[in-house]
Amino acid sequence: MSYIAQRVIRQHGFLVALVTAASVFVAIAVQNALSTLVAQFNYLSGDGAAAWIGDVFGRLGESLFGSLTWVVYLPFGIGILASLWFVAPIAPQLRLGHVITRSLLAAAIGAVLVFPVEVIVSVAQSVSGSPGNLGDPGVWLNQLRFGATIAVGQFIAVAPLVILAGILLWLWLERHPSKHDVSGIVDQA
């Protein structure tokens, strides 16, 4: 492992932030997969129990794979990691209001990172069939609106989960205190 990677991993608070962000990432991916699967129940075949079970597992695999590769979750998870590790880490001495505020900040940073990724992917998809649309300002304006809608929607949908993860992290940190003081950018001001 390189020196920089070792230094990052050893920096105080990185591992708990990584576990928390990864937990939120997995939870929203599984939640989306299950929502997709439930929505697909209308399309299951009626050819008997074996075909029905095969359809269920096939659709579950498709929806889970689709959830894990959907472009919104990765930047959202990276934003949560960056916030809980570098910007506004959660420490055991904080009060509940501060934990909720820092969790909301983590969700907001995740949503902010979703915006440019979603815009780039949307523009790429819209011009893939006709590259001449790349210079059309209408395409860009529509994709900017679409990216903002997705980012705000993800913030609204995932913020309660991030708050729950922040509170669980806070409770865990109270029971397992760190030997070192953890602080972020907001603590330096």
Side-chain angles (χ1 to χ4, degrees):
M1 191 180 307
S2 74
Y3 172 73
I4 294 173
Q6 287 177 353
R7 188 168 176 202
V8 165
I9 290 172
R10 286 188 201 150
Q11 188 167 349
H12 308 298
F14 176 77
L15 190 57
V16 294
L18 178 65
V19 169
T20 304
S23 299
V24 170
F25 175 81
V26 168
I28 57 178
V30 168
Q31 181 181 20
N32 186 55
L34 292 176
S35 296
T36 302
L37 180 66
V38 168
Q40 296 300 320
F41 276 130
N42 291 329
Y43 304 107
L44 295 176
S45 68
D47 298 335
W52 185 80
I53 291 172
D55 278 350
V56 167
F57 284 112
R59 293 192 190 276
L60 181 61
E62 289 172 12
S63 62
L64 186 59
F65 178 74
S67 295
L68 292 176
T69 58
W70 200 40
V71 298
V72 172
Y73 300 138
L74 188 59
F76 207 95
I78 290 170
I80 292 169
L81 170 64
S83 180
L84 293 179
W85 170 50
F86 189 67
V87 178
I90 293 175
Q93 66 268 21
L94 294 175
R95 303 188 96 185
L96 181 60
H98 293 110
V99 172
I100 292 172
T101 304
R102 287 174 184 232
S103 299
L104 283 171
L105 178 62
I109 290 173
V112 166
L113 291 181
V114 164
F115 175 72
V117 171
E118 192 62 46
V119 168
I120 290 168
V121 168
S122 298
V123 168
Q125 288 175 345
S126 71
V127 300
S128 65
S130 54
N133 287 342
L134 188 59
D136 183 9
V139 170
W140 283 94
L141 183 60
N142 286 338
Q143 301 314 325
L144 286 171
R145 266 189 268 152
F146 180 73
T149 303
I150 294 294
V152 170
Q154 282 299 309
F155 174 77
I156 292 168
V158 180
L161 180 62
V162 177
I163 291 171
L164 175 64
I167 291 171
L168 292 174
L169 172 62
W170 178 58
L171 293 172
W172 187 85
L173 288 171
E174 283 183 335
R175 289 180 179 81
H176 302 89
S178 176
K179 298 173 189 158
H180 307 283
D181 199 24
V182 177
S183 64
I185 293 174
V186 297
D187 299 317
Q188 306 302 321

